[in-house]
Amino acid sequence: MKRKIIKINEALCNGCGLCVNGCHEGALQLIDGKAKVINDIFCDGLGTCIGECPQGALKIEEREAAPYNEAAAAKMQTDKNQLKMNKKSELSQWPVQLRLLNPQSPFFKNADIALTADCAAYAFGDFHQIFLKNHALAIACPKLDGEREEYIKKISEIIELSSVNSLSVIIMEVPCCEGLMFIAKQALANVSRKIPLKKIVIGVEGNIITEELS
C-alpha cells in the first residue's frame, strides 16, 4: 500500500540520536552512526520525530510501505525498555579516579585501559557496553584536577609495571579535554613499552565524532 512514512537524508544526519529518542514507536535506530527506519511496520508516519532533528534530515514522504502495525510497535518498545533495564555494569574494579589508583593494582595487569574524561561517561549513553567492557578504567579531568605531572607519572608507571596492552583516551569535543590526550602522549613518551594509543572524541550531544589511532 502507498502511505506516509518517514524518510531520512543520511547526508544531513549527524548521528545525534535525538530523533531516535523522539520516536515513540521505536521505528528509528542509529546504525553505523546514521538514523534509519528499521522496519516500515513500526513507523506510523505522523512525523513527531521531525521536530527533534537539529539538522533537518527527516521529512515525511508518501511511498509504497507495509501497513503500520501498532501491536508490533508496542511489543518492540516493551522489549527495548526491558533490555535497557537489564543492561549490566561493565565496571570490574574500584576505585576509578586516576589520583586514587595504585599503578600496581592487579586489574591493570595485561589490561586494555580506558582513560576517560569525567564528562564522557555521562554524555555517551552506551559508555559501558562500547568503551568500558573488557577494559580497566581511569577517569580524570585535565582542567579541574590540576595534577598533570602526577598523572603523567602515574600512567607511565601503570603502563610499565603492568604490561598494559593498549590505551584508549575518551574525551569530549571541548578544548579543555585535549589536556587528557596530552597527558597520555607524555606518559607513553616516558616509557620503553610501546602500545597502541586510540583517541575517541564524544560530542556534547552524545555522538562519537572521531575515533582514531595515534
Side-chain angles (χ1 to χ4, degrees), residues 139-150:
I139 66 171
C141 177
K143 182 174 183 179
L144 299 180
D145 291 354
E147 301 184 36
R148 178 171 292 193
E149 294 304 318
E150 180 182 333

Side-chain angles (χ1 to χ4, degrees), residues 165-179:
N165 289 325
S166 68
L167 180 62
S168 296
V169 182
I170 305 158
I171 60 176
M172 299 297 296
E173 63 176 322
V174 294
C176 58
C177 260
E178 284 294 336

Side-chain angles (χ1 to χ4, degrees), residues 55-77:
Q55 304 297 316
L58 278 66
K59 69 177 184 179
I60 294 176
E61 69 171 354
E62 191 166 331
R63 64 171 172 82
E64 290 292 331
Y68 169 59
N69 188 322
E70 185 175 0
K75 181 180 184 304
M76 197 273 294
Q77 278 294 77

Side-chain angles (χ1 to χ4, degrees), residues 25-160:
E25 289 72 35
L28 302 180
Q29 185 174 317
L30 286 182
I31 300 175
D32 296 329
K34 299 289 184 179
K36 298 182 185 295
V37 178
I38 58 172
N39 194 318
D40 288 352
I41 68 171
F42 298 143
C43 179
D44 60 9
L46 295 179
T48 56
C49 55
I50 292 176
E52 303 293 333
C53 179
Q55 304 297 316
L58 278 66
K59 69 177 184 179
I60 294 176
E61 69 171 354
E62 191 166 331
R63 64 171 172 82
E64 290 292 331
Y68 169 59
N69 188 322
E70 185 175 0
K75 181 180 184 304
M76 197 273 294
Q77 278 294 77
T78 299
D79 292 345
K80 185 190 290 187
N81 290 334
Q82 288 178 343
L83 181 62
K84 287 181 179 178
M85 292 174 62
N86 292 330
K87 280 185 178 179
K88 68 182 183 71
S89 170
E90 297 294 343
L91 184 65
S92 59
Q93 69 185 76
W94 193 261
V96 297
Q97 219 289 334
L98 185 53
R99 73 174 69 179
L100 301 177
L101 290 170
N102 182 345
Q104 299 186 60
S105 295
F107 49 75
F108 285 132
K109 191 68 176 177
N110 303 121
D112 296 300
I113 296 178
L115 175 61
T116 307
D118 294 20
C119 303
Y122 294 96
F124 191 76
D126 282 333
F127 180 86
H128 277 244
Q129 285 67 41
I130 302 299
F131 299 128
L132 185 53
K133 188 174 184 178
N134 300 322
H135 283 71
L137 177 66
I139 66 171
C141 177
K143 182 174 183 179
L144 299 180
D145 291 354
E147 301 184 36
R148 178 171 292 193
E149 294 304 318
E150 180 182 333
Y151 283 172
I152 292 172
K153 179 181 178 183
K154 181 167 286 191
I155 296 170
S156 296
E157 291 177 352
I158 291 171
I159 294 169
E160 202 73 271

Side-chain angles (χ1 to χ4, degrees), residues 156 184-192 194:
S156 296
K185 287 182 176 180
Q186 289 297 113
L188 283 172
N190 291 343
V191 299
S192 58
K194 303 305 176 186

